[in-house]
Amino acid sequence: MTIPNMITIMRLVLVPAVVLAMLDMRWDWAFAGFLVAGISDGVDGFIARRFNQHSRLGAYLDPMADKLLLVSVFVVMGFIGELPLWLVVTMVSRDALIVCAVLLSTVMSHPVEMKPLFVSKANTAIQIVLAAVVLGELALAVHLDPLRPVLILLSGVLTVASAAAYLVAWLRHMSGYGEGSTPGTS
C-alpha cells in the first residue's frame, strides 16, 4: 500500500461526503470537499512520480476515484437543476459506453489496452472546471456569467467528440485494424 494509494482511497471515501453535502445544500462543504479531492489528486500523482511509488492498484484506483467523484457531482447537479439533464445523460452515457466496450472486449478475449486520448483529457479538464465553477458559485453566492453556459456547451461538445473517438478506436481494435492504436479512458 503506497502513500498515493492511501490518498486515492481517501478521495474515494470523500465522494459520499461531497454528495451528501450537495444534497443538504451545504455548498461550502461540497466545494471544500471537491477542492480537497482535486488537490489530493495532484498530490498523489506528484508523490507517485517523484518517489517512484507507482503501483498497478493505483493505476486502476486513481482514474476510478476521479470518475466516481465527477459523475456523482454531475448527477446531483443535474438532479437539483444546476446542470442541464442532457449534459448529465451525455456524460454518463459516454462513460457507460466505454465501460461496456472494455467489458465486451475482455469477454470476447480481445482485451483493449487503455490509453487516454487527448480529446478525453480535454473533456475531463473542462468537466472538472465546470463542476468547480458551479460549486464555487453556489458556495460563494456569486455568478460567473457567461462562464457556466460556455463551459456547459464546451463540455457537451467534448463529451460527444470523446465518445465518438473512443468508439472509432474500439471498432478498429475489434476489427483488427490499427492494432497499434488503442482506445483509453479518462
Side-chain angles (χ1 to χ4, degrees):
M1 183 60 65
T2 65
I3 291 172
N5 288 349
M6 288 187 276
I7 294 170
T8 301
I9 290 168
M10 184 267 314
R11 276 200 338 268
L12 283 167
V13 171
L14 196 56
V15 172
V18 170
V19 168
L20 285 173
M22 291 175 71
L23 292 173
D24 285 342
M25 297 190 179
R26 293 296 317 261
W27 304 116
D28 50 347
W29 286 103
F31 185 50
F34 190 82
L35 290 179
V36 166
I39 292 166
S40 69
D41 186 27
V43 169
D44 73 22
F46 171 78
I47 292 171
R49 284 186 303 278
R50 177 78 168 98
F51 299 103
N52 196 26
Q53 290 195 8
H54 298 279
S55 72
R56 186 171 175 181
L57 176 63
Y60 288 99
L61 276 182
D62 188 66
M64 187 173 76
D66 296 343
K67 191 51 71 177
L68 183 62
L69 177 65
L70 204 50
V71 168
S72 298
V73 166
F74 265 61
V75 167
V76 174
M77 285 183 185
F79 178 74
I80 63 174
E82 292 295 333
L83 285 179
L85 289 177
W86 66 263
L87 180 62
V88 176
V89 169
T90 303
M91 176 205 199
V92 172
S93 297
R94 172 211 173 260
D95 292 344
L97 174 77
I98 291 170
V99 169
C100 288
V102 169
L103 290 174
L104 183 59
S105 300
T106 302
V107 167
M108 294 179 66
S109 298
H110 198 42
V112 178
E113 180 187 344
M114 304 310 288
K115 293 180 184 175
L117 302 174
F118 175 76
V119 68
S120 181
K121 288 181 179 186
N123 179 47
T124 300
I126 293 299
Q127 287 176 345
I128 290 168
V129 171
L130 175 57
V133 163
V134 173
L135 287 172
E137 284 180 335
L138 294 167
L140 304 172
V142 297
H143 296 286
L144 301 175
D145 291 331
L147 186 57
R148 190 193 297 201
V150 169
L151 289 171
I152 287 169
L153 180 61
L154 191 54
S155 180
V157 168
L158 287 172
T159 299
V160 170
S162 174
Y166 280 125
L167 181 60
V168 167
W170 181 78
L171 289 171
R172 293 184 96 178
H173 172 79
M174 293 305 288
S175 66
Y177 295 110
E179 288 295 322
S181 63
T182 55
T185 62
S186 191

